[in-house]
Amino acid sequence: MINIVEDIKSISYVKTHTAEILRQVAEKNNPIVITQNGESKAVIMDVRHYQKIVDTLNLFKILSIGENDIKSGKIFTHDQLNKKIDKILAEE
């Protein structure tokens, strides 16, 4: 959760305290919101945290595709899927 006092910084502060900001991100695992002229412009976050977000979004996309396939009747029985896989593997 973002702490308004500690996790929102101006671009000028980030420029002069870059090492401190990176240390804070690593230690607290909280993203830092960067402002410019009083408006939010960017976020700095730990790369592992970012990768987890990307992975989660990709999983949600896959689940959404699956739900849409089920709703539109694009489904296979287990036997149908096995036959389809066998056919693909035989072609290689």
Side-chain angles (χ1 to χ4, degrees):
M1 179 162 272
I2 292 178
N3 178 318
I4 293 174
V5 174
E6 295 179 12
D7 299 337
I8 298 177
K9 303 291 183 187
S10 69
I11 188 70
S12 58
Y13 183 89
V14 174
K15 286 178 183 178
T16 58
H17 298 89
T18 306
E20 176 189 328
I21 294 291
L22 292 176
R23 189 171 33 259
Q24 180 180 340
V25 167
E27 289 174 2
K28 296 186 177 183
N29 203 24
N30 280 355
I32 302 291
V33 176
I34 302 170
T35 63
Q36 186 176 34
N37 300 322
E39 294 183 28
S40 300
K41 293 292 183 178
V43 175
I44 298 175
M45 68 174 56
D46 179 79
V47 70
R48 285 182 219 93
H49 185 80
Y50 177 75
Q51 186 63 55
K52 286 180 183 179
I53 291 171
V54 169
D55 292 345
T56 301
L57 288 173
N58 287 335
L59 180 58
F60 282 137
K61 287 178 186 177
I62 291 167
L63 291 171
S64 177
I65 291 167
E67 283 184 344
N68 288 335
D69 284 350
I70 290 169
K71 289 177 184 174
S72 64
K74 296 179 186 176
I75 56 174
F76 298 100
T77 66
H78 184 73
D79 289 336
Q80 289 171 324
L81 182 60
N82 281 337
K83 288 177 185 175
K84 190 171 183 108
I85 291 171
D86 289 342
K87 182 179 177 185
I88 291 170
L89 293 175
E91 292 172 1
E92 291 181 355

